[in-house]
Amino acid sequence: MEAVVFDIDGTLVDSERHGHRVAFNLAFESFGLPYRWDEEEYGRLLRTTGGQRRIERYLAARGVGEEERSSLAPALHARKTAILNELIDAGRIEARPGVERLLGELTGAGCRLAVATTGSRSWVERVLALSLSEFDFEVVVTGDEVSARKPDPEAFAVALDRLGLKAQDAVAVEDSAEGLESAKGAGLACVIVANGYTADHDLTTADLVLDGFGDAQRPATVVADPRGSGCTGILDLRTLTSVWAAGR
Ligand code: XBP
Ligand code: MG
């Protein structure tokens, strides 16, 4: 196993409920718009990957015309991204429990680290620099560099290409059905670390499903272990290597 390619939102960081969603709402407010996405509605809106697309589809569903949408959505998204960067600077977007342990273990074993996200490069670089600064993500593919967002496999395919690796040399770690479909579409074995927004997604094609990264004090729950990795609730190098080997 040469590398692990990580998703960001909902995976490395629990960023959606109290990060992106808050930034979207503050952007709507700053534009004097009445829209507010509550936690429950946001979970449904998340099925559209890419924040600008999410805004566009929401505006269309509210009858905002194509011409107005084509200028309003990018402007709102730019404001949202600026606000999100302020939240990141304020330390509001943190790594999920167990992520730093796993990244340290992988780094110590000489395993290469990469990111394949649908999110925008502007905040992705910031969150990696501030919340995961001690780790070297050799390749970072963001929504800005791909023509098709997840569940399209492009983000993971570009990450593998830039790593100079084939799919059988690596494993993906994701949180959502869209991310799982994207990773599988690129030929990668995929571990899902689900969260409050994705626990009810269709994750049946995953090679392992946990509800967290886990650690000795608080192991995660193994939701599904179809490859027989023997995971006991701690996503570690051994478990990832076992999933990788079973997927070859
Ligand atoms: C999650 C997404 C992103 C974020 C919002 O990406 O779909 O769109 O919700 O970020 P992933 P942007 O799980 O692939 O990291 O507003 O920058 O798109
Ligand atoms: Mg995600």
Side-chain angles (χ1 to χ4, degrees):
M1 183 178 76
E2 297 276 337
V4 179
V5 188
F6 288 91
D7 165 49
I8 288 197
D9 287 307
T11 304
L12 288 177
V13 290
D14 194 0
S15 52
E16 295 288 1
R17 191 182 301 269
H18 302 303
H20 290 291
R21 183 184 66 87
V22 170
F24 281 111
N25 286 334
L26 289 171
F28 296 142
E29 187 181 354
S30 78
F31 273 62
L33 294 169
Y35 312 133
R36 297 297 180 271
W37 293 348
D38 67 26
E39 292 187 30
E40 201 240 336
E41 179 172 29
Y42 190 65
R44 290 194 299 277
L45 292 167
L46 262 177
R47 305 311 299 261
T48 300
T49 58
Q52 182 169 313
R53 279 193 330 156
R54 195 168 301 145
I55 294 171
E56 276 161 4
R57 286 180 76 166
Y58 181 82
L59 294 176
R62 265 141 200 76
V64 176
E66 163 83 29
E67 194 174 336
E68 187 181 355
R69 285 201 315 265
S70 62
S71 60
L72 182 55
L76 277 167
H77 191 243
R79 176 71 55 81
K80 173 262 175 183
T81 299
I83 292 167
L84 183 76
N85 279 327
E86 289 169 14
L87 297 179
I88 293 169
D89 290 347
R92 296 270 295 273
I93 310 290
E94 293 179 323
R96 286 182 72 178
V99 161
E100 287 160 307
R101 168 194 53 75
L102 174 62
L103 293 175
E105 204 180 336
L106 293 172
T107 303
C111 184
R112 299 160 73 186
L113 305 178
V115 159
T117 173
T118 307
S120 311
R121 179 163 288 277
S122 159
W123 63 262
V124 167
E125 289 183 337
R126 213 180 192 102
V127 80
L128 293 177
L130 289 177
S131 303
L132 291 166
S133 54
E134 65 267 40
F135 303 106
D136 174 24
F137 291 94
E138 195 178 318
V139 164
V140 177
V141 177
T142 73
D144 298 43
E145 288 98 65
V146 293
S147 53
R149 281 176 161 69
K150 298 175 188 175
D152 185 283
E154 191 181 348
F156 282 103
V158 169
L160 287 168
D161 182 54
R162 285 171 53 187
L163 283 164
L165 296 176
K166 294 185 176 50
Q168 58 264 37
D169 301 324
V171 173
V173 180
E174 266 280 0
D175 70 308
S176 68
E178 290 74 21
L180 173 60
E181 186 179 338
S182 177
K184 284 291 183 180
L188 284 158
C190 185
V191 172
I192 292 289
V193 186
N195 56 55
Y197 276 137
T198 65
D200 62 349
H201 283 195
D202 175 3
L203 304 168
T204 43
T205 60
D207 297 283
L208 173 65
V209 181
L210 297 165
D211 71 352
F213 287 81
D215 53 36
Q217 291 71 33
R218 287 185 56 203
T221 300
V222 178
V223 176
D225 186 12
R227 299 284 191 175
S229 75
C231 180
T232 56
I234 296 178
L235 186 56
D236 55 14
L237 173 67
R238 186 209 68 74
T239 302
L240 280 172
T241 306
S242 171
V243 167
W244 165 76
R248 283 173 62 75

